[in-house]
Amino acid sequence: EILMRSSLYGLIASRARALFVDDLGGRPPSASGSRPTARGLAHYADNLALTALLCERSHTALMFVDQPVDVNFKTYAGPRREGLAEMRRALHTFCRERQIPLLAAQDVLDWHGLTLDDDVHLGKLGYERLAELLAPQILATFGSRAETPPAHPPSP
């Protein structure tokens, strides 16, 4: 417990991140597959289900976004592009089966003129376009429901 509260320990741990493989700042794995494994798809489905359960328990409206990914980016050649499509199909199926709104972004985002550093970070112009796409869908989704968006409970 003392280590967890220590700012020195926190500093050392944050600097050591580059030594370990993770998705938050470490180095990428030395080998990765082009397609999701059965275990990976199951883990993804579990995460979607847990998210839905947490939202249900907290009486919070849930919507997913079909996240725009630039499939023309250098990392999505051939099998990787199909792997991404497989994950996207899993999300579409999950949302359809549970009647969870899935907001369209991938197939409708105008990529023209965007300068991307990577495949998913859209930059200022891209995020403006994404907001313009999603806002009407969010409002339409709430408008089509009998209920209104849940209010946040008062803070204790």
Side-chain angles (χ1 to χ4, degrees), residues 119-138:
D119 56 333
V120 295
H121 296 98
L122 303 175
K124 184 178 187 242
L125 178 60
Y127 286 123
E128 286 174 5
R129 289 180 186 173
L130 185 60
E132 289 170 0
L133 287 173
L134 296 179
Q137 293 179 68
I138 292 168

Side-chain angles (χ1 to χ4, degrees), residues 104-123:
Q106 172 64 24
D107 295 333
V108 293
L109 181 68
D110 177 10
W111 293 92
H112 180 72
L114 298 185
T115 54
L116 307 173
D117 291 332
D118 59 24
D119 56 333
V120 295
H121 296 98
L122 303 175

Side-chain angles (χ1 to χ4, degrees), residues 4-5 8 40 48 60 70 124-125 138 141:
M4 293 307 291
R5 295 177 186 268
L8 178 59
L48 294 173
T60 302
D70 183 5
K124 184 178 187 242
L125 178 60
I138 292 168
T141 299

Side-chain angles (χ1 to χ4, degrees), residues 64-73 76 80-82 84-89 91-92 102-112 114 116 118-122 126 129-131 133-134 137:
F64 284 104
V65 175
D66 191 7
Q67 178 180 345
V69 176
D70 183 5
V71 294
N72 295 316
F73 198 73
Y76 287 103
R80 280 207 142 162
R81 188 176 294 185
E82 180 52 36
L84 178 64
E86 197 171 345
M87 297 294 287
R88 184 165 269 124
R89 282 191 298 273
L91 176 63
H92 283 247
L102 178 62
L103 307 180
Q106 172 64 24
D107 295 333
V108 293
L109 181 68
D110 177 10
W111 293 92
H112 180 72
L114 298 185
L116 307 173
D118 59 24
D119 56 333
V120 295
H121 296 98
L122 303 175
R129 289 180 186 173
L130 185 60
L133 287 173
L134 296 179
Q137 293 179 68

Side-chain angles (χ1 to χ4, degrees), residues 49-62 153:
L50 285 170
T51 301
L53 180 61
L54 288 171
C55 288
E56 180 184 327
R57 286 185 174 178
S58 65
H59 307 287
T60 302
L62 174 64

